[in-house]
Every structure is written in C-alpha cells, then in structure tokens.
Amino acid sequence: MAIFVQKFGGTSVGNPERIARCAMRVKQRVDEGHKVVVVVSAMGHTTDELIALAGKVSTTPSRRELDMLMATGEQVSVALVAMALESLGVPATSLTGGQAGITTDGAFGRARVTKVSRERLDRELTLGRVPVVCGFQGLSRDGELTTLGRGGSDTTAVALAAALQVAEHGGACEIFTDVDGVYTADPRLVPTAAKLARISYEEMLELALLGAQVMHPRSVLFGERYGVPIHVRHSQRPDEGTLICRETPDMEDVMVVGAALKPDLGRVSLRRIPNNPGVQGMLFEAVANAGIMVDDIVQTEFGEIASISFTVDHGDLADVKIAASQVLDKVGTGELAVEIGLAKVSVVGTGMKSHVGVASRMFTALGAAKIPIHNITTSEIKISCIVGREHAQRALAIAHEAFGLDKIGSKSQAEATAV
Ligand code: ADP
Ligand code: ASP
Ligand code: MG
C-alpha cells in the first residue's frame, strides 16, 4: 500500500461535473488499495474574483483581510470534493490548511510553510478516510490565517507529501492540472511546445521562477529538499504526464529543456547617484524590506558617479518607487526613472554546465529576428534576455525554435538539444 497526495487545480474543480471526475480519480487510487490525501484549489477563477471584490470595498485592503477572504475559495472546494467522494462511497473529511497541520510564518499573502504536523492526517488515514485539504493556506504560530502566494496549492501538496514521506511509501505527489504535463514552453503561447517525460527539480525550479506557471516555485524546492517524486498530469485525461525528479547523469546531455516568459516587467533606474561604498546595500535593503523580488541588476560607473537599474514585476512598481525615492533622499543626489512594458525570455537546462555556445545561439536568433535585447542575465543553467513586451511572445517562440525544443517530443530528450 502506497501513499499518494493528489492535488487538483482551479480549472480541474471548476464545476460540479469536473469535481465528480476528480473524485473518480481519487476513488481509483483508493480502489487500488492506496492511502490518498487530496489537496484542492479554489474553483475556476474564484481567487481572482475575490480579489476584485475586495477592490470594490477598499482601494487599500489589508493583507490580513485579503488572506481571510481569499482562503474562503479553497474552503468551498474541499467541502464539495469531500461530498462528491462520499457520494461515491469513499469516506472523506474536508480540512482547512491549519486543521491539516500546515504552520507558516506570518507574512500575509506570501507566507512560507515552516512546519507540517501529520497527526490529523494520520488519524484520518488510519480511520480509512481521505483527508481533503485546502491548498494555498496555513495558520501562523500566532493563529492567523495566511496564504502562500498565488498558485500556492502546489506547495501545500508537496509539503504534505514530504511530511507523509510518500517516496518511502512507494507513492508520489500527483499534480492534476489543465495540461497533460510540463512542456518545453507554455503550450498556450508556443503551439509547437513538446511534452517532457522527465525534468529535474533544478530545471523545473528555474523555469517556474522564470514564469512557467505550471508549478509554484516553492513546491519544487520542497520536492527537491525532501526527494518527493512530483508527477504532473492532466486531471481529465489518463496520459502519463511528466515526472519531476532528481537529475540523472543522462540529463546533462540535453543542453536546454525549456523556455519561459515573464511578461509585465518594469525597470527602475537610479541615475547619477554617488558611487559610494554601501549605496547598493542601502538600496536593495530598502527594496527587500518592501518584500519585493529583484533579479536583473545592472550597474554602470563613471568615476565617482554610478547608475543602477533593476527589473521588477509591474505590480511591484508603486512600492519600489517609494523605497527608491527614500534612498535617493538619503544619498542626496541622483534621479529616479521608471520604464514599463518589458518582458523576460529565458531558456533553461542543466546541460548548459557542460556545453558552450548556448548564449550566443540565443542572441544570434533574437538578433536575426531584429528583436532588441535590453539586458542579459545568466546563471549556470539559464540565460535570460529582457525584451520589449511587444516582442515577448515572438522572442519566446524564436528561442524555443533555436534550441530545437519543438523536436524534443519526436526524438529522445537527449538527442533533441545535444546538438
Ligand atoms: P492549476 O490551476 O491546475 O494550478 P495553472 O494555471 O496554475 O493550473 O498551471 C497550468 C498552466 O500553466 C497551463 O494551462 C499552461 O498554460 C501554463 N504553463 C506555463 N508554462 C508551462 C509549461 N512549461 N508546461 C506546461 N504548462 C505551462
Ligand atoms: N487559488 C489560489 C490561486 O488562484 C491558489 C492556487 O490555485 O494554487 O492562486
Ligand atoms: Mg497552479
């Protein structure tokens, strides 16, 4: 008997018929003799609708109240899924994140899971019941209801799978969604994208951070840390899906496994500021204190003067402007400039560690398509280019084609990009 955690995303539980089909999938596993824990997201676009509703009563709703509101979406789903299971003769108990043992820090809207206690889940499983757990939410140590950030139900699922040691019990964490696996790019944006049979945690994490919304980045971190096999599958089709697992030696033969797009970025520049030691620390400490993630940073120096630019999500621009203006006031001189309408196109692959010429291939392809590159960042396993938003989707398709990613499905994964 194995333990499986099965997570169903918003589209998969979007209406009563779909909920019934998800319940059938759970029943299949139960009938095979396995123990199952279910995690569900809010139905369809419920979370977006709740956020819009908050905007109608307040222009500045507090993060605490937003969490209280958003968390209701998942509570509707767990109750309905538990009812659907019971109607199929499968005993089930719906649980909030807190009831299921998820403890988080107190950062409303982007809380991190700090502890998972498995007592309640074990109790339900011992009684032969299927716990149906609200994704996306937890309880802080002070007893406050928190949410884990958009898309966070994946993280609930993998965190529970880690606590239940599914790998040791011959099971897995199954992520059921509206696509039948992880593709070489978002299939909605690149129709020629191909499904990957396997992808390493490292590559999936990088793709998720760079815009591939199919997995919440923190869920992949949990998976890697605790060795949870993550199986991404279509909720309404029987297809095999994609396995996210540890890297094996043959994976390095593949230079690039995927391309991703982050739309809607803005660039903030502090121009002509004094090039004094500590100025960078002061700036990025202020940005970090505002809870904002920054990755592409460029500094140029002209003797005693420097300019620093960095990109952030459009949604963070207002907060960044406040933090950066305060820093400018402190340093005394300089100007603040903000550009919008940028996007980031990236390619990812652990094989880059052992291949040369990856970056030049990407730049050449974008250059041939006359797409200007505004900034470049690289790591051991990724190359990212900032481009204008108007070029973003074409740039993604061009990068995808430049590495032969569309052919990955027809050849073996190794042959496709080891060229
Ligand atoms: P869920 O509600 O099930 O969590 P999401 O909308 O969060 O589903 O994630 C699934 C979506 O992720 C897909 O519909 C697809 O458009 C998008 N996506 C982005 N990048 C990829 C990728 N590389 N492979 C598969 N899907 C991707
Ligand atoms: N319902 C939440 C969201 O829409 C969490 C999730 O779907 O994973 O972001
Ligand atoms: Mg999701």
Side-chain angles (χ1 to χ4, degrees):
M1 181 196 281
I3 304 182
F4 284 88
V5 173
Q6 298 192 311
K7 179 254 171 179
F8 296 91
T11 317
S12 311
V13 292
N15 62 38
E17 295 72 39
R18 289 185 181 176
I19 289 181
R21 266 181 269 162
C22 292
M24 283 301 300
R25 283 213 99 127
V26 178
K27 183 173 165 16
Q28 262 172 22
R29 280 276 183 236
V30 172
D31 289 347
E32 286 163 12
H34 303 303
K35 292 185 175 179
V36 182
V37 172
V38 175
V39 173
V40 282
S41 296
M43 291 171 73
H45 298 291
T46 302
T47 311
D48 292 328
E49 287 157 13
L50 290 169
I51 295 170
L53 188 59
K56 291 199 172 126
V57 294
S58 164
T59 47
T60 51
S62 80
R63 286 184 188 265
R64 180 186 185 278
E65 300 311 331
L66 264 178
D67 275 8
M68 187 62 90
L69 180 69
M70 286 194 289
T72 62
E74 271 67 15
Q75 283 171 228
V76 172
S77 307
V78 286
L80 293 174
V81 171
M83 289 174 200
L85 282 168
E86 296 244 320
S87 73
L88 294 176
V90 179
T93 308
S94 61
L95 298 171
T96 62
Q99 286 176 314
I102 306 261
T103 305
T104 68
D105 63 17
F108 295 116
R110 51 186 153 83
R112 283 167 190 269
V113 176
T114 52
K115 194 176 153 213
V116 182
S117 323
R118 51 182 284 180
E119 288 80 27
R120 180 68 190 266
L121 296 180
D122 280 337
R123 223 183 316 144
E124 298 294 335
L125 291 171
T126 308
L127 292 171
R129 303 184 70 83
V130 172
V132 184
V133 181
C134 290
F136 179 54
Q137 56 170 257
L139 214 51
S140 76
R141 278 205 298 191
D142 310 335
E144 293 283 17
L145 203 157
T146 54
T147 68
L148 312 181
R150 297 303 306 270
S153 298
D154 299 330
T155 297
T156 306
V158 182
L160 293 182
L164 293 165
Q165 299 174 301
V166 294
E168 289 80 344
H169 291 93
C173 181
E174 296 181 300
I175 302 287
F176 289 103
T177 181
D178 60 0
V179 59
D180 61 352
V182 178
Y183 277 66
T184 50
D186 185 340
R188 286 180 213 255
L189 303 179
V190 182
T192 55
K195 189 168 85 182
L196 298 164
R198 286 179 311 149
I199 185 167
S200 69
Y201 295 114
E202 197 183 5
E203 289 164 330
M204 188 66 242
L205 174 62
E206 202 67 62
L207 280 174
L209 288 168
L210 293 167
Q213 159 205 353
V214 62
M215 290 299 296
H216 191 241
R218 260 184 247 150
S219 69
V220 188
L221 272 173
F222 266 106
E224 181 168 33
R225 192 175 311 151
Y226 299 103
V228 179
I230 303 174
H231 198 172
V232 181
R233 311 180 66 178
H234 198 293
S235 62
Q236 316 287 327
R237 294 195 219 134
D239 313 40
E240 255 318 294
T242 301
L243 185 66
I244 309 175
C245 56
R246 288 208 197 288
E247 187 182 325
T248 50
D250 57 311
M251 283 178 168
E252 267 212 37
D253 296 341
V254 185
M255 193 156 73
V256 169
V257 292
L261 173 67
K262 241 191 184 185
D264 302 326
L265 296 179
R267 182 155 54 185
V268 178
S269 302
L270 278 80
R271 299 194 181 130
R272 286 183 274 281
I273 55 174
N275 192 8
N276 296 336
V279 70
Q280 297 86 349
M282 195 196 298
L283 172 62
F284 290 107
E285 194 183 340
V287 173
N289 288 343
I292 293 155
M293 298 270 284
V294 170
D295 53 357
D296 301 82
I297 303 173
V298 187
Q299 173 170 315
T300 35
E301 297 173 314
F302 319 94
E304 307 205 327
I305 301 291
S307 289
I308 303 175
S309 300
F310 54 95
T311 48
V312 294
D313 284 343
H314 270 186
D316 289 330
L317 275 175
D319 290 342
V320 174
K321 266 188 185 166
I322 296 169
S325 308
Q326 286 165 354
V327 171
L328 271 186
D329 287 346
K330 277 192 204 149
V331 298
T333 55
E335 301 148 23
L336 180 64
V338 175
E339 295 156 83
I340 55 168
L342 298 171
K344 179 154 73 176
V345 175
S346 312
V347 294
V348 169
T350 47
M352 285 185 202
K353 291 178 192 167
S354 48
H355 288 83
V356 291
V358 187
S360 62
R361 191 187 295 198
M362 178 155 176
F363 306 152
T364 305
L366 293 178
K370 304 253 178 302
I371 296 177
I373 301 172
H374 300 300
N375 190 34
I376 295 164
T377 43
T378 61
S379 80
E380 262 196 329
I381 68 158
K382 70 139 196 197
I383 298 159
S384 296
C385 295
I386 300 286
V387 299
R389 190 168 47 185
E390 66 281 17
H391 300 300
Q393 196 168 330
R394 197 162 59 94
L396 178 70
I398 285 164
H400 189 265
E401 199 190 338
F403 292 98
L405 292 176
D406 45 340
K407 299 186 193 79
I408 227 167
S410 54
K411 298 185 192 175
S412 80
Q413 231 165 283
E415 278 173 273
T417 57
V419 282

